[in-house]
């Protein structure tokens, strides 16, 4: 075990700079910002590999934010990780000050400002949910302890690996020094999927003409994609509530087939592609981070699975539940939006699943 360093290109023996400088792949002399240290776990996997360019290019954290990148994966993936690092070098990202590959989760989080936890144990044939929760519980409890011991005290943690909400809970409960509010789990993929469905149904120009769709609850088949607060732009019009643009037939779709389409979209991708979502998942992580750090626009809300304590919707405390939020400078706040009686039933159904997952995950 230990840190696997990049071994290409071969170092020049005449170069007397410190090793850390030798491992720098470019600098941002014109930027006065301090580099943010970002860790991606599962970096040699499909989502991690797809996510690296979105982080290293500045799309997620800003075009003038230098980045120190830590790429973490398990020891059996060390050779693949070395190949990923070669490609990162070959991309010559102008914002990347260094890339540090590691196969040691106990040391990789040192000084990390943003940890993106993509790596987890996938569900395999014959496994029941309790098996998956137990295995990932061990992984994410260890991650949480390592984050608390080594990361920056105000580290932000984004959990992607499924079951994302409960993996996030386990990591947060084991990171006793880090505020629970600093952890979040990815439901932006579901939000983006929902935006795509609205764009297609209403024949909008792009998905940028849709905003304020809410994903409630768990990143699972019980999630509730909700268009009650959604707004759209059609042609040169201003933002308009979806109910004023959609036909009666459209609204039947949005309270029926639309919900199940979003809920089962991941399974549909696997059936069609033979592999789980990777590009769209990585894209959603980039969007999540961009909103969290760059902030939401005036009148805009986004969906994130966040610490439920103090929420205004009657959802139980002690969960990572997807809510509508606004963001600014790495912090989020609950957004208050209207709900319907039928919607509240769906919100409570996905809450019940999260409570059951919590019970199973914490069972000794």
């Amino acid at each position: 075990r230990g840190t696997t360093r990049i071994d290409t290109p071969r170092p020049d023996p005449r170069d007397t700079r410190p090793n850390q400088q030798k491992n720098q792949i470019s600098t941002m002399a014109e930027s006065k910002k301090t580099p943010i240290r970002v860790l991606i776990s599962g970096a040699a996997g499909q989502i991690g590999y797809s996510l690296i360019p979105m982080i290293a290019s500045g799309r997620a954290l800003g075009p003038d934010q230098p980045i120190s990148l830590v790429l973490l994966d398990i020891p059996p993936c060390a050779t693949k990780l070395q190949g990923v690092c070669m490609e990162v070098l070959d991309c010559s990202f102008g914002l990347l000050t260094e890339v540090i590959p590691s196969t040691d989760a106990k040391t990789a989080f040192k000084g990390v400002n943003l940890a993106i936890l993509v790596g987890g144990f996938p569900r395999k044939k014959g496994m029941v949910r309790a098996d998956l929760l137990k295995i990932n519980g061990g992984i994410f409890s260890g991650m949480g302890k390592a984050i608390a011991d080594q990361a920056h005290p105000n580290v932000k943690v984004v959990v992607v690996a499924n079951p994302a909400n409960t993996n996030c809970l386990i990591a947060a409960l084991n990171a006793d020094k880090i505020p629970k509010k600093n952890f979040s789990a990815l439901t932006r993929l579901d939000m983006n999927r929902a935006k795509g469905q609205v764009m297609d149904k209403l024949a909008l120009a792009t998905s940028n003409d849709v905003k304020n769709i809410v994903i409630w609850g768990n990143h699972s088949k019980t999630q509730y994609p909700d268009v009650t607060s959604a707004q759209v732009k059609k042609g040169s019009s201003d933002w308009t509530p979806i109910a004023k643009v959609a036909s009666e037939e459209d609204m039947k779709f949005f309270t029926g087939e639309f919900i199940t389409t979003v809920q089962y979209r991941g399974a549909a991708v696997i059936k069609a592609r033979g592999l789980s979502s990777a590009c769209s998942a990585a894209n959603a992580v980039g969007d999540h981070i961009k909103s969290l750090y760059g902030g939401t626009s005036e009148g805009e809300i986004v969906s994130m699975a966040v610490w439920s304590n103090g929420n205004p919707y009657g959802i139980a405390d002690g969960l990572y539940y997807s809510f509508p939020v606004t963001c600014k400078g790495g912090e989020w706040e609950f957004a208050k939006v209207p709900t319907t009686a039928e919607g509240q039933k769906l919100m409570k159904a996905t809450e019940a699943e999260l409570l059951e997952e919590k019970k199973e995950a914490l069972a000794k």
Side-chain angles (χ1 to χ4, degrees), residues 53-66:
M54 299 184 190
I55 299 298
S57 67
R59 187 197 138 183
L61 288 164
D64 61 347
Q65 177 57 65

Side-chain angles (χ1 to χ4, degrees), residues 170-183:
I170 297 302
L173 291 177
N174 282 275
D176 53 358
K177 300 176 185 175
I178 309 298
K180 301 292 185 293
K181 198 174 179 181
N182 286 24
F183 287 76

Side-chain angles (χ1 to χ4, degrees), residues 72-326:
L72 173 65
D73 218 309
I74 57 177
C77 292
T79 301
K80 288 183 180 179
L81 190 60
Q82 186 180 55
V84 170
C85 289
M86 292 178 189
E87 286 210 75
V88 174
L89 281 167
D90 295 345
C91 287
S92 191
F93 292 111
L95 290 169
L96 207 53
T97 63
E98 61 180 345
V99 59
I100 304 169
S102 176
T103 57
D104 186 358
K106 293 181 179 179
T107 60
F109 290 96
K110 186 175 181 180
V112 164
N113 304 105
L114 169 63
I116 309 168
L117 306 185
V118 179
F121 193 89
R123 188 167 186 168
K124 296 185 177 181
K125 189 175 181 180
M127 288 180 65
V128 297
R129 185 177 65 175
D131 297 329
L132 188 65
L133 288 166
K134 184 176 181 180
I135 294 170
N136 276 300
I139 294 170
F140 282 86
S141 62
M143 291 276 190
K145 290 171 184 174
I147 289 167
D149 289 344
Q150 301 177 51
H152 188 280
N154 197 34
V155 62
K156 300 299 188 292
V157 182
V158 179
V159 178
V160 181
N162 288 321
N165 299 57
T166 300
N167 285 343
C168 186
L169 174 68
I170 297 302
L173 291 177
N174 282 275
D176 53 358
K177 300 176 185 175
I178 309 298
K180 301 292 185 293
K181 198 174 179 181
N182 286 24
F183 287 76
S184 60
L186 185 73
T187 55
R188 187 61 169 263
L189 175 56
D190 307 301
M191 183 183 129
N192 286 352
R193 287 168 170 168
K195 287 177 67 176
Q197 293 297 309
V198 171
M199 178 193 76
D200 191 50
K201 187 67 175 176
L202 298 182
L204 304 175
T206 75
S207 61
N208 287 335
D209 295 328
V210 187
K211 71 176 183 178
N212 296 358
I213 293 175
V214 176
I215 304 297
W216 300 98
N218 201 3
H219 175 61
S220 74
K221 295 182 178 81
T222 68
Q223 66 174 272
Y224 169 37
D226 178 14
V227 300
T228 304
S229 298
Q231 297 180 30
V232 299
K233 273 187 175 183
K234 202 155 189 179
S236 58
S237 68
D238 294 330
W239 287 110
T240 307
I242 194 169
K244 292 186 177 181
V245 175
S247 67
E248 185 177 340
E249 196 64 30
D250 291 334
M251 291 309 295
K252 286 182 181 178
F253 169 79
F254 290 132
T255 55
E257 183 184 342
F258 163 78
I259 293 174
T260 54
T261 297
V262 176
Q263 288 173 333
Y264 288 85
R265 188 65 164 186
V269 169
I270 291 172
K271 183 177 179 181
R273 184 173 175 256
L275 295 166
S276 59
S277 303
C279 177
S280 58
N283 176 69
V285 177
D287 289 344
H288 178 114
I289 293 167
K290 184 177 181 181
S291 293
L292 182 63
Y293 281 84
T296 46
S297 305
E298 182 70 27
E300 178 192 19
I301 56 175
V302 295
S303 293
M304 296 179 179
V306 296
W307 188 235
S308 62
N309 287 28
N311 77 84
Y313 298 100
I315 299 301
D317 287 349
L319 297 175
Y320 280 89
Y321 184 104
S322 184
F323 291 101
V325 299
T326 58

